[in-house]
Amino acid sequence: MRREELPDVIEPFAARLAAAQGGTHALIDLDAFAGNIAYVRSQLPEGAEVIAVIKANAYGHGLVPCGRAALAAGASRLAVARIEEALLLRAAGVVAPILVLSPANPALARQAAESGIALAVGSATGLNRLLDALGDDLPPLPVHLKVDTGMHRFGVEPEGVVELARALAREPRVRVEGVFTHFATADAADDRVLQEQTRRFAAAVQALAAAGLQPPLVHMANSAAILRGVVEIPAPGATIAVRAGLILYGLNPSRELPLPAPVRPVLRLVTRVGQVFTVPPGEGISYGWSYIAERPIRCADLPIGYADGLVRLLSNQGWAVVGGAVCPIRGRICMDQTVIEVEAAPDVAEGDEAVLLSDGRDGAMTADQAAALAGTINYEIVSALAARIPRVYLRGGRPVAVLDLLGLVEDPSAAC
């Protein structure tokens, strides 16, 4: 069925909002998001820029709404991981500079050049692959020179940075607008590797300057480095920028770097009780009967599962909050459904709200707690949230937009 054939009843904002709130959905607090950007800006030297990292569907929070909100809150640029993400932003009307951080797909290099999307270049081979896809009929492709100072993943070694910069300067089909590196251990208690990477990057930037090749934008700090105050680099005449990612969503990079009070979590994951039932003693719950009831227990079925991003490793470990009561997950999390025990919520009824993720003040799991139980990191907990979960965007506590599989729809009286 084509979009134009979809029933009209689900098109208006009010109807799409009601549909989202009637089932599993995520609430995204745009005020908290903007406040987190304001905090980052407050930590920067005068003239420094914020590059808002919104890759992976804005860490599960919604690419286009978060991109727009980041720019409205004072970010000067956006960063993503794929050219396709940048093209989605352009299609949504975003005209601000966008940088693709990961090795780019050469098959989409022409589209990037046509749309003014900056790509990262970390090797002569990578540069040549992009050049092979470009033609003389396009505007110069903006590029950022990526220097590998210790991440050992993608980028030119510091000793090769001047040679690669010269190759870029000779090529009329590209335009160098930035140079950057990425920290491997900025979130660790031991800062020796961080300091060494900073030293190596400073030396690379100075070598570029000595050769007359220093790009106008220099950036190295991720969220962890911002929290540590490692944001400036000796680069006279250049603009310094930071790449703020996880901190924008109110999540901490590690236990060694607790977030300051002004930074708040942005996302709350909510679903609705689908059915309430009793499991008799000796009977198991869900696939494999990994949980056996020792007594009669009241349970509720929730319409959310690992296909939504509720990771299966939370089976028999995680919990939801229903009516203020903590209700443990019983049995295995399924693709689309999860069972919780609701003995602590005696008045639970079908349609009641169940909170799975929040800032923790209501007793629900935080992303950090869920990550600890699942043996992973908070990045994965939020970025794994599937696109089929509608996102409801709030300003002043009021819904202003809904992003679901049908697309983004905004309250006509309060644009996102």
Side-chain angles (χ1 to χ4, degrees):
M1 179 178 286
R2 297 190 302 272
R3 181 178 173 84
E4 59 267 24
E5 296 174 340
L6 291 167
D8 289 340
V9 69
I10 60 175
E11 289 301 320
F13 173 75
R16 292 272 287 280
L17 175 62
Q21 292 177 325
T24 301
H25 60 284
L27 297 164
I28 311 297
D29 186 342
L30 293 176
D31 293 328
F33 187 69
N36 295 343
I37 293 178
Y39 172 80
V40 171
R41 293 181 67 197
S42 74
Q43 302 304 298
L44 303 183
E46 185 177 355
E49 296 185 4
V50 175
I51 303 173
V53 182
I54 56 170
K55 61 182 179 177
N57 199 27
Y59 292 47
H61 294 66
L63 179 73
V64 170
C66 286
R68 291 176 176 172
L71 294 168
S76 59
R77 299 167 185 264
L78 304 176
V80 294
R82 302 283 186 269
I83 293 176
E84 294 91 334
E85 294 173 312
L87 292 173
L88 281 173
L89 289 162
R90 287 286 188 255
V94 174
V95 298
I98 304 173
L99 168 62
V100 177
L101 295 167
S102 300
N105 179 358
L108 293 172
R110 284 187 63 86
Q111 290 93 321
E114 290 169 346
S115 300
I117 296 165
L119 305 183
V121 172
S123 69
T125 301
L127 171 61
N128 290 331
R129 294 183 70 212
L130 293 175
L131 294 176
D132 288 343
L134 297 174
D136 296 330
D137 58 326
L138 299 172
L141 174 72
V143 298
H144 287 223
L145 181 57
K146 173 68 180 294
V147 185
D148 183 0
T149 57
M151 185 73 176
H152 299 304
R153 188 177 65 175
F154 165 54
V156 63
E157 296 293 323
E159 56 268 24
V161 68
V162 171
E163 181 180 357
L164 182 55
R166 285 187 174 131
L168 288 165
R170 289 192 299 266
E171 178 50 61
R173 286 172 290 179
V174 301
R175 171 175 54 83
V176 181
E177 67 178 25
V179 60
F180 72 110
T181 194
H182 189 51
F183 292 133
T185 66
D187 58 349
D190 187 336
D191 70 349
R192 285 175 294 180
V193 172
L194 171 64
Q195 296 302 325
E196 177 60 17
Q197 282 195 259
T198 301
R199 185 197 66 77
R200 292 174 184 175
F201 186 55
V205 171
Q206 289 165 5
L208 289 173
L213 296 167
Q214 178 178 284
L217 188 69
V218 179
H219 49 107
M220 64 175 184
N222 56 7
S223 292
I226 293 167
L227 288 169
R228 289 201 133 131
V230 183
V231 299
E232 295 190 73
I233 194 79
T239 297
I240 302 300
V242 298
R243 298 187 309 277
L246 194 67
I247 192 174
L248 300 186
Y249 309 99
L251 302 174
N252 63 302
S254 71
R255 283 178 292 184
E256 283 75 21
L257 291 172
L259 293 174
V263 179
R264 296 186 289 140
V266 172
L267 180 142
R268 191 168 181 258
L269 180 62
V270 176
T271 189
R272 298 283 179 180
V273 172
Q275 183 173 323
V276 181
F277 54 93
T278 298
V279 178
E283 294 287 304
I285 296 173
S286 190
Y287 289 117
W289 278 24
S290 63
Y291 182 87
I292 306 292
E294 297 180 353
R295 66 188 192 287
I297 57 171
R298 293 182 76 237
C299 292
D301 181 45
L302 306 179
I304 185 171
Y306 60 76
D308 298 292
L310 185 64
V311 293
R312 194 167 178 265
L313 288 168
L314 291 173
S315 300
N316 292 310
Q317 296 196 91
W319 67 89
V321 167
V322 180
V326 173
C327 300
I329 294 173
R330 297 304 192 198
R332 290 180 185 163
I333 294 172
C334 306
M335 182 179 287
D336 313 295
Q337 299 175 66
T338 298
V339 175
I340 58 173
E341 179 186 324
V342 293
E343 288 290 332
D347 298 325
V348 63
E350 293 183 12
D352 283 355
E353 182 181 270
V355 184
L356 286 149
L357 291 174
S358 74
D359 60 10
R361 289 182 296 178
D362 57 2
M365 289 184 290
T366 65
D368 286 331
Q369 289 171 326
L373 291 172
T376 184
I377 53 177
N378 54 14
Y379 296 76
E380 185 176 359
I381 295 298
V382 291
S383 63
L385 296 177
R388 74 179 188 178
I389 297 178
R391 273 71 167 172
V392 176
Y393 295 89
L394 308 176
R395 273 217 175 92
R398 173 174 170 248
V400 295
V402 174
L403 177 65
D404 57 22
L405 290 178
L406 301 177
L408 179 66
V409 60
E410 297 170 304
D411 182 348
S413 66
C416 180

